[in-house]
Amino acid sequence: MKSTMIMLITAILITNLMMIMNMFLSKKTLLDREKSSPFECGFDPSSSPRIPFSLKFFLIAVIFLIFDIEIALLLPMMPTMVMSNIKQWMMTTIMFICILIIGLYHEWNQGGLNWAK
């Protein structure tokens, strides 16, 4: 127990020391105008270099990731059915699927699934 605590404290100290050293050694000037300006073959850019990001595509990507994780959580439920108590397995699965359906209804209600706008 004592050796575990010593190892934990040592790891925390080494991590903090490395982060502090990184902060002091990697000072960068953020006010350099030439580095922050866009480079386009030596000429001034003809259009805005920063295209506005569509928040709708970001929300679609986040919703896709959420549903992808939900599927990854649902897939192992079938093999575990054989090894567990069927009543407890059914209650857990039904509760999990109900939470997913409530989340889907909330997304639908908030307009997160209307992509035609």
Side-chain angles (χ1 to χ4, degrees):
M1 177 72 177
K2 188 175 180 181
S3 63
T4 307
M5 290 298 289
I6 290 173
M7 286 176 47
L8 180 68
I9 291 171
T10 305
I12 290 172
L13 286 175
I14 290 173
T15 305
N16 286 333
L17 181 67
M18 290 177 70
M19 287 175 26
I20 291 170
M21 285 175 48
N22 183 28
M23 187 174 64
F24 286 122
L25 294 176
S26 67
K27 283 289 186 186
K28 294 186 172 117
T29 58
L30 299 175
L31 301 176
D32 191 7
R33 194 175 129 248
E34 291 298 322
K35 285 186 180 180
S36 64
S37 66
F39 180 73
E40 195 171 306
C41 299
F43 300 107
D44 289 333
S46 60
S47 64
S48 175
R50 289 174 178 74
I51 300 171
F53 182 73
S54 175
L55 189 62
K56 193 68 175 173
F57 290 121
F58 176 73
L59 290 176
I60 290 170
V62 168
I63 290 171
F64 171 75
L65 285 175
I66 289 171
F67 284 119
D68 194 37
I69 291 171
E70 290 172 357
I71 289 172
L73 292 173
L74 282 173
L75 284 176
M77 285 188 172
M78 289 305 140
T80 59
M81 179 176 66
V82 178
M83 297 178 284
S84 63
N85 182 4
I86 191 70
K87 194 176 213 180
Q88 185 179 9
W89 181 86
M90 281 294 282
M91 290 302 295
T92 305
T93 305
I94 288 172
M95 200 156 40
F96 184 70
I97 291 175
C98 284
I99 290 171
L100 296 182
I101 289 173
I102 290 169
L104 178 65
Y105 175 72
H106 178 70
E107 282 295 323
W108 187 15
N109 199 18
Q110 294 293 317
L113 301 177
N114 294 335
W115 299 345
K117 285 184 188 176

